[in-house]
Amino acid sequence: MSSYVITGASRGMGWEFMRQLSRDPSNTVIGIVRDKLPTAKRVADELEGRSNITIIEADITKYEDIKRAATQAAIVTGGRLDYLFANAGQSMFWDAFEPIGILAEQPEEFENVFSLMMNTNVLANIHLYTLFMPQILKGGAKTVVNLTSAMGDVEFTKDQDLTLGSLYATSKAAMNMVTTKFAAQYKKDNVLFLGICPGVVNTGQFDNVTPAQMAKFKPMLDTWQQYAPDFKGPVGPESAVGDVLSVVQKCSVENGDSGAILSHLGTKQWL
Ligand SMILES: NC(=O)c1ccc[n+]([C@@H]2O[C@H](COP(=O)([O-])OP(=O)(O)OC[C@H]3O[C@@H](n4cnc5c(N)ncnc54)[C@H](OP(=O)(O)O)[C@@H]3O)[C@@H](O)[C@H]2O)c1
């Protein structure tokens, strides 16, 4: 019997975390979404009878929204939260197909996308961690997980010469440091902070990729195939969420894991 808060629960992996974790009726599962009504309706339609789910509305880029969400969550959790999943994230096609030096030739658009990525993927999560920390400190599991990406790993980028997705990758790298800084601060309180990459997961992001865009992806896919010959392409959210939860269960502050940035395998093997 545990309590969970998951951001970005409207779709993709956030929805899947909520679906899997609420299967146990003794769990309390809180999904934070930007627009409450469609997700509440989806819960009623697809997860009928799961009275252990609460949907709270917040745009995580708005500090007051997160603060209000934390207050509302505390009413549900009794002020004691076991797990916080900082899953909501912004990825965009704008930076997906060209290297950073080409993108930066359009400074205005570059700054807009950079701000959106950093505000959503980094700054919002700093506020999220901070505003939920009183509840985490009173919880049993005391675990905070950020859904990070292999794209944010400096060594992987260097070794594979990864040129694409540079703004997204930069935001994920920055967030990794944030997670590790929080881990350093709260180690004495036995709080486990992790950044976990779920692998390459099909959550609909490839639906509208044109053949021309796919051709720009191809060299990166070839590189990945060499890096991990068993890599067979994107997996579905169901297995990816299962992988992330299994890594979380194997980690502990006592074993020195807090602040670690890991793959879905619980290692630095990203694919
Ligand atoms: N899919 C992958 O292959 C992959 C790989 C590595 C890491 N990740 C990371 O894993 C996480 C989940 O990925 P995903 O593929 O499931 O993402 P997704 O399908 O794009 O869903 C993103 C979620 O974040 C929410 N969100 C975005 N901005 C928000 C905001 N300002 N306030 C509140 N919610 C906001 C979205 O809500 P709306 O419905 O309102 O837009 C949505 O629920 C992300 O952090 C992503 O970077 C994914």
Side-chain angles (χ1 to χ4, degrees):
M1 173 186 145
S2 300
S3 52
Y4 299 86
V5 165
I6 303 143
T7 62
S10 60
R11 56 192 167 93
M13 268 177 292
W15 169 267
E16 184 59 22
F17 274 113
M18 191 162 72
R19 192 186 72 80
Q20 290 192 24
L21 294 167
S22 63
R23 276 196 298 230
D24 179 344
S26 73
N27 285 341
T28 298
V29 182
I30 298 168
I32 295 184
V33 299
R34 263 195 285 215
D35 191 1
K36 182 173 170 170
L37 276 183
T39 305
K41 183 175 181 319
R42 191 174 171 196
V43 170
D45 290 347
E46 296 177 30
L47 304 176
E48 200 190 338
R50 301 221 185 157
S51 56
N52 56 342
I53 295 178
T54 303
I55 303 298
I56 293 176
E57 188 168 287
D59 176 337
I60 61 160
T61 60
K62 295 179 180 158
Y63 183 83
E64 289 304 321
D65 276 20
I66 308 176
K67 199 171 165 188
R68 197 175 53 244
T71 304
Q72 290 173 7
I75 294 167
V76 179
T77 63
R80 292 176 299 280
L81 177 63
D82 293 312
Y83 296 91
L84 173 62
F85 283 90
N87 163 81
Q90 187 71 57
S91 61
M92 285 183 72
F93 269 1
W94 191 77
D95 72 338
F97 305 106
E98 302 291 347
I100 191 163
I102 299 290
L103 298 173
E105 287 171 5
Q106 301 167 67
E108 202 173 318
E109 183 114 36
F110 188 99
E111 284 181 23
N112 287 340
V113 176
F114 189 70
S115 297
L116 183 64
M117 295 275 186
M118 295 302 279
N119 282 335
T120 312
N121 296 348
V122 188
L123 191 54
N125 284 328
I126 295 174
H127 295 324
L128 183 82
Y129 284 5
T130 305
L131 289 167
F132 275 92
M133 199 46 59
Q135 293 176 61
I136 286 287
L137 288 169
K138 289 189 192 133
K142 294 189 174 53
T143 298
V144 179
V145 180
N146 174 241
L147 272 288
T148 186
S149 169
M151 300 288 282
D153 187 78
V154 172
E155 288 300 306
F156 187 56
T157 303
K158 174 178 84 56
D159 293 345
Q160 308 298 319
D161 292 328
L162 298 180
T163 57
L164 305 184
S166 44
L167 303 193
Y168 173 75
T170 301
S171 71
K172 291 296 189 182
M175 188 57 211
N176 287 347
M177 181 56 80
V178 167
T179 297
T180 306
K181 287 288 185 192
F182 269 89
Q185 180 180 351
Y186 287 102
K187 198 184 216 170
K188 63 180 183 343
D189 301 296
N190 208 29
V191 183
L192 177 67
F193 281 88
L194 297 168
I196 303 179
C197 173
V200 185
V201 190
N202 187 355
T203 53
Q205 71 272 48
F206 308 109
D207 289 354
N208 298 316
V209 176
T210 65
Q213 288 170 329
M214 204 59 215
K216 292 189 174 177
F217 260 146
K218 179 84 171 54
M220 188 163 78
L221 293 176
D222 291 345
T223 309
W224 287 356
Q225 204 68 60
Q226 281 168 21
Y227 170 79
D230 290 339
F231 175 62
K232 295 193 173 46
V235 298
E238 186 166 357
S239 72
V241 163
D243 289 344
V244 171
L245 292 175
S246 137
V247 173
V248 173
Q249 291 316 320
K250 286 180 195 136
C251 290
S252 68
V253 175
E254 303 81 68
N255 288 344
D257 298 318
S258 196
I261 308 300
L262 302 168
S263 74
H264 60 299
L265 303 169
T267 64
K268 293 282 184 186
Q269 176 70 31
W270 299 108
L271 293 166

